[in-house]
Amino acid sequence: MPPAAPDLLQLKLVFVTGKGGVGKTTVAAALAQLGAEHGKHVLACEVDAKGDLAGLFEAAPTEFVPREIAPGISSMSMDTEASLREYLKLHLRIPVVGRIGPLAKAFDFVATAAPGVREILTVGKLCYEVRERHYDLVVVDAPASGHIVGQLAAPQAINDLVKVGLIRSQTDWMLDILSDARRTGLVVVTTPEEMPVNETLELTARVREETTVQTSAVVVNRVLPELFGQREEEVFEQLREPAAVSVLSERAGGPVAPVLEAARLAVTLRRTGAGHLQRLQAGLPAALPVLLLPELFTRTHGLRTTHQMAQALGEELGY
Amino acid sequence: MAPQRAADAPQTIAHLLSAKEIVIACGPGGVGKTTTAAAVGAMAAAEHGGRVLVLTVDPARRLADALGLKGIGNQEVRISDEVFRRAGVAPRGELWAAMLDSKQSWDDLVRLHAPDDATREKILANPLYQNISGRFVQSHDYIAMERLYEIHSEGTYDLIVVDTPPTRNALDFLDAPQRLADFFSSRLLRWLIAPYRSRLVNAATKPFYTVADRILGTQFLADISEFFILFQSMYEGFVKRSEAVTRLLSDRRTTFMVVSTLEATPLREAEFFSAELIARRLHLGAIVLNKVLPDYLRDSATARLAQHMADRFDTLGEGLTDDPVLAARVLTEVAESFLHFGIVARREAEEQNELVGAPDILVTVPFFDADIYDMEGLIRLGQQVWD
């Protein structure tokens, strides 16, 4: 029996990752949209600020300070320096505001020395938003699969390095949030292709071994529709016989061979994809839900496709 | 009108590679960059001869998959001629492959630059060093370019094809050597480690250390300081080295090959990257566009025909099959599928037309109906790219 659909909307913090180019931003936007449609106050955060997330809501590019980009959805882009300033203001209570300048510079320097500090400022800000309950759901358009483990493991890495001090007490509560499967989850996005599937299998294993974060679901994006069943395929082959093609061309008023050829290509692509999908499902832990989102065949990506994807995601999640 | 070209400007990847020693494949993730790099390397070994190395720096082990090699590592491994022969190719030269092991490469670098054994052992044992070299992603960027420099200066290979890591910012690896040099020559660094060196903290710097202690904890600050004091002993070697790496990237023998698909997001990134390469006066040799859909999908007469088929599905297939009901359904699916893929193909063709600042060599590679997972596939892809 396939595992039950995860209740992603019950989580407080969802990281969406995946190999570059598989559509992780699209899925993050769809999840944010779905959350908003279910009455959640959502924060959507772009970590690799390329402005794509805001673009999917047809809004202007996001900044560090969250701004509402759609009903119920606020969006921000991560900026580790701004995050540091906020952190110093909130936690260090440095008496002289003027001091923050040089101190931030020094801290930034240390962040370069121990690059995990930069990661922790990102994860820290996200965990902070969760802890302070400013939003019902924080959706993170997270770094690609090559980087996400470093990011999620940063609090633990820092914890191992720093034994006492303010940072140590900070990483402790972050780890509490990240390790809590009822609050935090990771969604890995892939496509039904060779390399994305390999990377997804590798990534989910690494996340299990190297981080304390629970993988909530794997989302397979751009799944092509099944054109034919077996019986229909036989009929299709009959229609591709040269004699049939010339009759069809005559009746349709033009050469139909390319149209049939395109269908052949679509069937091949679908079949190749189905093989990878099978491999994915076989390689993942049985309890990990795999959700399928369709290829939309649209001209552009914007509000309309975001809504369509949110609907498709909602159906997969059983909402 | 096309811009004026130098009479001898290379027109094909084959031509381009015959004049270069280093090809750096770069671009957005998920576009077949690693596979393209491996395919180009395989073609160079097969057609041009000599010794060709494909160096992949992607932490995900994709090249090994494509070459059918399990567990290639930091050491270069030769792909046997037998692998080529099974793919129906008799290579003129040798193909080698290596995967960047970030941790191993850092350790090697420390061994190279450490002034004495004691310093070397201390650095290798420093917890901060272990984290930087092993766990954190940014250090990949620098070490990748460093390793390229190392291999190139050994002079073992006629051509090195480098597959760059999928960086957050595609340019990170270009800046990495300079960033590292800046880092080690920073005044702040000296300031930070001063008290541990002199055990003297004056009134002016004391508040800084008090705050640093509160944030970081004393032990961590001590680890940082130890790390940098030790690294200072290697400072000159490092800075010289990273300058040399930077020079190598802009050398005439080095060229960049931007890989993308025609999907909007990766293509934007590839465009941005191409513009940056030109702005930095680096050699943008070629753009390779992967997974391009066949032309016939864009044909407007065929699209009209498909629409016509979709409208007339019920009578079109009469008498041609043993199941008229199914035939009608199949024809509808066929026609709609053509129209669907046509939308994608037209969108992508538009994207290609709008591609700005393209170099002389712009190669499109058709959508393969099967994935590339062996040498045969690499050669098939390589031949599309080659000439």
Side-chain angles (χ1 to χ4, degrees), chain B residues 88-284:
Chain B
V89 175
R92 292 181 53 207
E94 300 173 4
L95 179 65
W96 293 69
M99 186 100 61
L100 184 82
D101 180 334
S102 209
K103 173 96 184 93
Q104 185 61 45
S105 302
W106 272 107
D107 290 356
D108 291 347
L109 198 61
V110 167
R111 289 197 185 91
L112 182 72
H113 290 302
D116 53 68
D117 293 0
T119 308
R120 185 191 65 214
E121 290 312 311
K122 263 197 201 153
I123 290 177
L124 294 179
N126 182 288
L128 200 65
Y129 168 75
Q130 291 180 349
N131 260 278
I132 289 182
S133 57
R135 257 202 264 211
F136 292 115
V137 185
Q138 285 93 332
S139 66
H140 281 298
D141 297 337
Y142 174 72
I143 206 69
M145 293 301 110
E146 158 65 35
R147 179 107 171 96
L148 169 64
Y149 175 82
E150 173 75 21
I151 294 175
H152 181 257
S153 57
E154 281 166 7
T156 317
Y157 298 97
D158 298 281
L159 177 71
I160 305 172
V161 185
V162 190
D163 163 39
T164 55
T167 42
R168 281 162 205 225
N169 177 343
L171 302 166
D172 277 358
F173 74 91
L174 289 180
D175 294 329
Q178 190 55 47
R179 263 209 319 268
L180 194 90
D182 290 349
F183 181 58
F184 280 108
S185 47
S186 159
R187 242 177 59 215
L188 249 164
L189 175 66
R190 265 168 269 154
W191 200 33
L192 189 70
I193 64 181
Y196 292 88
R197 193 176 251 167
S198 64
R199 305 274 157 219
L200 244 173
V201 181
N202 64 32
T205 54
K206 191 152 186 294
F208 170 74
Y209 294 108
T210 313
V211 174
D213 253 21
R214 266 181 71 195
I215 303 173
L216 297 165
T218 313
Q219 181 57 46
F220 186 53
L221 204 57
D223 284 341
I224 291 183
S225 301
E226 186 201 52
F227 173 69
F228 284 112
I229 290 168
L230 292 169
F231 250 67
Q232 287 274 301
S233 67
M234 309 195 302
Y235 169 74
E236 238 173 84
F238 256 93
V239 171
K240 270 205 189 119
R241 188 68 169 226
S242 52
E243 283 166 3
V245 173
T246 306
R247 269 201 306 280
L248 181 65
L249 293 180
S250 50
D251 194 281
R252 294 180 67 86
R253 293 166 296 180
T254 303
T255 189
F256 288 79
M257 176 175 80
V258 175
V259 185
S260 181
T261 63
L262 284 169
E263 281 171 83
T265 311
L267 197 63
R268 275 309 102 64
E269 264 183 79
E271 254 177 3
F272 171 74
F273 194 82
S274 306
E276 278 295 317
L277 286 174
I278 291 164
R280 287 159 194 252
R281 308 180 69 82
L282 296 170
H283 189 265
L284 171 60

